[in-house]
């Protein structure tokens, strides 16, 4: 063969939906056949969905995945394109993260992932065993190397081995989660392998939200001369046809398209929307409900919900108390109107007064303070959960990463909820994303074209409004200062000494470090949320709750 057409199936599978994933890949193969493709490449563990985690420990699950692969292999007896499909496999040595190459009605080859990642969000050594160092697969006379995800990221020399054993090109199925700037990182990883092997390499990435992770697609290919041959879009499903020609210097991708990719706040926002939409839809929720306070956090969460689901599936509830300002009431109403979603007001004066009355004797002689403030938050949380129970709507929780870091949130109150779309956005990032969303609406989203959030919500001083004239800065440093300290502590694991050297007050840094540690028990009980940064709370950062260490 001197020419080859490979279809790149950048699809959104669902973990555990083996039948649905199989049908999705069958539809992609049909589309590829109509375009004259010879081969369809799917992503890592496509049949099971990624990450399947401990599902792969169930023999019945592995058997169902194997049956689906065999059914797909039988499809290829029709003379159409072959398929490279990822799935979890039970082998003689144990469970493998594998791909099967299907053609002519049969499984013509199997390759197992060699380099199993065991860091950050990855825990594959716990459930899989590594495969043997692979050789290329002969597909219709073309020797194809198939390194699986970490096989091109790590240092075990998998790609080098494939090149030395005769591979003519490399096709790499991946499950690479999003974080800000990840596309550039992937490009550098692939370029390193292209330089070392002298072979063209296709990087196919999966798509979709899976619990806290978002897989953003953004698949691409580099030719052996280090030029970007094609770039697929992020955050959308796509089946692209890559055309290959064999010349004197080997195989080359020709005529590829390079999609423009979102950057900065645009990519973060799209990740939040995709992760939120898939969590709600894949878990079968028909609608969502959230408390709309008139503040920036609940406003951006409402905008994300409407963009992800449509206004008819979003219910906003204002829950005012005696400290709620008229400004907040008008801002919340204006936000709901701009988004076009249902908006109700449920006053909490009576239930809060009821709680205080019930506790009056026990609390006699004590000063009013945090306890009474938390009662307001917990009353709101109880009402939202009651609405959820009655109507089946998932409660959206709305705390940002700055608040989650220092415990500026109330357990069983404003932390109530099923999912948090901004859990991994610091406060200043929330402002930046809100300002960006007011200027444009990404393709495929349901909200207003512009001005999704009233400008006054972005401009005004943030306040929890749990006591008279309260502002967040009464108990926290200014958010630009707080966020920089937190990024140093959480993302970079910097010492207090190094953070102070950046110009921060030592006492403030020590206080924030202390708050970060003592809030760990709250974060363990918080709702899942979209991972946006390199180190989110949960999968990436696992600190003990009981912990007396302080950096002195």
């Amino acid at each position: 063969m001197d020419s080859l057409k490979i279809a790149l199936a950048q699809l959104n599978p669902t973990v555990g939906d083996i039948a649905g994933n199989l049908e999705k890949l069958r539809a992609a193969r049909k589309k590829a056949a109509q375009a004259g493709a010879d081969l369809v490449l799917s992503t890592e563990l496509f049949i099971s969905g990624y990450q399947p985690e401990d599902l792969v420990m169930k023999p019945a699950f592995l058997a169902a995945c194997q049956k689906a692969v065999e059914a797909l292999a039988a499809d290829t007896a029709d003379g159409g394109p072959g398929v490279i499909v990822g799935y979890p496999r039970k082998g003689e040595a144990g469970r493998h993260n594998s791909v099967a190459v299907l053609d002519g009605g049969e499984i013509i080859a199997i390759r197992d992932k060699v380099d199993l990642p065991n860091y950050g969000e990855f825990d594959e050594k716990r459930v899989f065993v590594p495969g043997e160092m692979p050789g290329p697969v002969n597909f219709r006379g073309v020797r194809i190397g198939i390194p699986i995800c970490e096989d091109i990221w790590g240092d075990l020399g998998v790609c080098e081995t494939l090149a030395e054993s005769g591979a003519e090109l490399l096709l790499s199925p991946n499950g690479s989660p999003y974080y800000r700037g990840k596309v550039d990182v992937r490009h550098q990883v692939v370029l390193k392998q292209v330089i070392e092997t002298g072979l063209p390499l296709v990087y196919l990435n999966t798509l979709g939200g899976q619990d806290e992770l978002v897989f953003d697609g953004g698949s691409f290919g580099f030719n052996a001369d280090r030029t970007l041959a094609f770039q697929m879009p992020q955050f959308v499903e796509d089946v692209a046809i890559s055309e290959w020609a064999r010349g004197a210097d080997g195989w080359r991708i020709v005529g590829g398209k390079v999609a423009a990719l979102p950057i900065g706040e645009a990519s973060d926002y799209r990740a939040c929307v995709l992760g939120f939409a898939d969590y709600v839809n894949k878990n079968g929720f028909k609608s969502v409900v959230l408390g709309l306070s008139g503040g920036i956090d609940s406003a951006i969460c409402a905008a994300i919900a409407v963009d992800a689901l449509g206004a008819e599936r979003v219910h906003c509830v204002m829950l005012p108390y005696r400290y709620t300002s008229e400004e907040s009431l008008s801002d919340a109403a204006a936000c709901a109107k701009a988004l076009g979603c249902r908006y109700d007001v449920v006053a909490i004066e009576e239930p809060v007064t009821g709680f205080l009355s019930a506790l009056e004797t026990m609390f006699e002689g004590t000063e009013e303070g945090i306890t009474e403030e938390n009662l307001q938050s917990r009353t709101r949380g109880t009402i939202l959960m009651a609405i959820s129970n009655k109507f089946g709507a998932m409660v959206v929780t709305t705390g940002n990463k700055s608040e989650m870091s220092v415990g500026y949130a109330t357990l069983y109150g404003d932390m109530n909820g099923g999912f948090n779309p901004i859990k991994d956005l610091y406060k200043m990032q929330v402002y930046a994303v809100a300002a960006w969303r007011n200027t444009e609406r990404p393709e495929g989203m349901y909200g207003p074209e512009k001005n999704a959030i009233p400008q006054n919500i972005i401009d005004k001083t943030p306040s929890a409004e749990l006591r008279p004239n309260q502002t967040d800065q009464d108990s926290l440093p200014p958010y630009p200062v707080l966020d920089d300290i937190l990024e140093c502590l959480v993302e970079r694991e910097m010492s207090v000494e190094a953070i102070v050297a950046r110009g921060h007050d030592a006492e403030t840094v020590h206080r924030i470090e202390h708050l970060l540690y003592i809030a760990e028990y709250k974060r363990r009980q918080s709702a899942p949320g979209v991972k946006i940064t390199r180190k989110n709370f949960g999968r990436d950062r696992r600190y003990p709750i009981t912990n007396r260490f302080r950096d002195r």
Side-chain angles (χ1 to χ4, degrees):
M1 296 179 69
D2 293 324
S3 64
L4 191 65
K5 284 187 176 182
I6 301 176
L8 309 170
Q10 179 177 290
L11 304 175
N12 187 344
T14 299
V15 167
D17 186 9
I18 297 168
N21 297 339
L22 174 60
E23 290 310 308
K24 187 178 283 283
L25 188 51
R26 279 174 163 159
R29 181 175 180 266
K30 181 178 180 180
K31 182 176 180 180
Q34 292 169 349
D38 302 290
L39 179 64
V40 178
L41 176 66
S42 69
T43 51
E44 182 178 16
L45 293 178
F46 180 84
I47 288 295
S48 63
Y50 191 75
Q51 298 170 333
E53 301 185 276
D54 283 10
L55 273 175
V56 301
M57 294 185 177
K58 298 185 74 67
F61 182 72
L62 293 178
C65 290
Q66 181 67 38
K67 184 177 180 181
V69 171
E70 291 171 355
L72 188 61
D75 292 351
T76 63
D78 63 5
V83 180
I84 298 175
V85 59
Y87 72 113
R89 182 180 73 89
K90 179 68 171 70
E92 293 182 4
R95 295 178 298 271
H96 292 282
N97 181 336
S98 304
V99 296
V101 184
L102 318 176
D103 197 29
E106 298 178 342
I107 299 174
I108 65 170
I110 291 172
R111 294 293 182 267
D112 301 318
K113 190 174 183 178
V114 179
D115 197 348
L116 300 177
N118 206 55
Y119 56 85
E121 62 267 30
F122 301 109
D123 201 11
E124 291 196 21
K125 289 182 179 178
R126 183 169 176 272
V127 295
F128 291 122
V129 296
E132 300 293 331
M133 200 63 94
V137 174
N138 188 327
F139 176 79
R140 301 183 185 179
V142 182
R143 296 186 300 278
I144 299 175
I146 314 173
I148 303 171
C149 200
E150 195 72 13
D151 289 344
I152 71 170
W153 289 75
D155 298 320
L156 296 185
V158 175
C159 291
E160 185 180 2
T161 298
L162 286 165
E164 290 174 350
S165 54
E168 300 173 73
L169 55 94
L170 301 173
L171 304 179
S172 180
N174 281 257
S176 176
Y178 173 85
Y179 61 71
R180 193 178 303 115
K182 189 71 170 287
V183 171
D184 289 338
V185 176
R186 295 174 190 142
H187 281 190
Q188 293 305 312
V189 167
V190 168
L191 276 171
K192 180 177 182 289
Q193 298 297 348
V194 169
I195 291 168
E196 291 183 355
T197 63
L199 297 175
L201 195 157
V202 166
Y203 184 104
L204 181 68
N205 192 32
T206 195
L207 182 80
Q210 173 55 30
D211 295 343
E212 296 185 313
L213 301 180
V214 173
F215 300 93
D216 54 305
S219 307
F220 60 92
F222 274 92
N223 276 316
D225 62 3
R226 310 176 196 178
T227 58
L228 182 65
F230 68 88
Q231 173 68 64
M232 295 173 67
Q234 282 181 288
F235 306 112
V236 293
E237 286 191 308
D238 192 16
V239 178
I241 304 297
S242 62
E243 298 191 23
W244 299 68
R246 192 207 301 263
D249 297 327
W251 286 97
R252 181 176 181 82
I253 308 168
V254 294
K257 296 180 180 179
V258 177
L261 301 181
I263 59 174
E265 286 76 31
S267 61
D268 287 349
Y269 189 81
R270 295 195 67 166
C272 289
V273 171
L274 177 59
F276 181 80
D278 276 355
Y279 189 87
V280 172
N281 292 328
K282 291 181 179 181
N283 284 293
F285 292 104
K286 301 301 182 185
S287 61
V288 298
V289 61
L290 70 153
L292 194 62
S293 68
I296 187 67
D297 295 327
S298 62
I300 192 66
C301 286
I304 289 170
V306 169
D307 277 337
L309 307 174
E312 69 281 357
R313 298 175 64 187
V314 179
H315 182 188
C316 293
V317 183
M318 162 54 97
L319 299 147
Y321 187 55
R322 63 184 67 165
Y323 305 127
T324 303
S325 67
E326 288 298 322
E327 183 182 35
S328 292
L329 285 165
S330 62
D331 285 343
C335 186
K337 182 178 179 180
L339 295 171
C341 55
R342 178 180 173 181
Y343 177 69
D344 288 303
V345 178
V346 179
I348 66 167
E349 180 80 29
E350 188 174 342
V352 172
T353 301
F355 280 122
L356 293 174
S357 177
L359 293 164
E360 184 176 9
T361 302
M362 187 178 295
F363 286 4
E364 186 176 2
T366 65
E367 293 186 5
E368 186 172 317
I370 295 296
T371 300
E372 287 73 19
E373 292 182 16
N374 286 344
L375 264 178
Q376 299 169 49
S377 179
R378 291 190 172 116
T379 300
R380 292 183 171 111
T382 298
I383 290 172
L384 289 173
M385 290 305 300
I387 295 170
S388 172
N389 291 159
K390 179 63 70 173
F391 301 110
M394 185 195 79
V395 177
V396 180
T397 185
T398 61
N400 61 69
K401 191 172 186 176
S402 304
E403 295 173 348
M404 298 303 299
S405 296
V406 295
Y408 200 75
T410 304
L411 269 178
Y412 324 120
D414 57 314
M415 288 178 66
N416 277 3
F419 196 78
N420 183 349
I422 63 167
K423 183 180 180 179
D424 203 31
L425 287 176
Y426 289 109
K427 187 75 168 188
M428 297 310 296
Q429 292 169 345
V430 169
Y431 279 114
V433 166
W436 173 84
R437 177 59 183 87
N438 271 359
T439 65
E440 61 181 284
R441 177 185 64 190
E443 185 178 353
M445 297 192 182
Y446 298 104
E449 289 189 14
K450 295 182 179 180
N451 301 319
I453 298 168
Q455 189 61 40
N456 192 58
I457 292 179
I458 298 175
D459 293 340
K460 69 183 180 182
T461 302
S463 171
E465 295 191 324
L466 298 173
R467 61 176 182 268
N469 303 314
Q470 181 185 29
T471 68
D472 291 1
Q473 252 73 93
D474 294 341
S475 50
L476 295 172
Y479 277 116
V481 174
L482 176 64
D483 286 0
D484 188 67
I485 293 172
L486 288 172
E487 187 169 345
C488 292
L489 289 169
V490 176
E491 257 66 48
R492 306 183 193 180
E493 299 285 5
M494 290 171 60
S495 68
V496 167
E497 182 182 15
I499 299 171
V500 171
R502 290 169 63 90
H504 292 294
D505 173 69
E507 183 179 348
T508 300
V509 176
H510 281 299
R511 177 169 168 260
I512 298 307
E513 182 207 33
H514 177 68
L515 292 174
L516 176 67
Y517 284 146
I518 65 172
E520 186 63 39
Y521 81 100
K522 287 188 178 181
R523 291 190 290 271
R524 293 284 185 96
Q525 299 178 67
S526 65
V530 178
K531 171 182 163 66
I532 295 294
T533 67
R534 285 176 178 261
K535 187 171 286 189
N536 74 333
F537 290 121
R539 290 178 177 271
D540 296 331
R541 186 182 186 277
R542 308 178 193 183
Y543 270 68
I545 295 174
T546 306
N547 169 26
R548 290 190 177 181
F549 174 77
R550 300 294 183 268
D551 182 4
R552 303 299 185 195

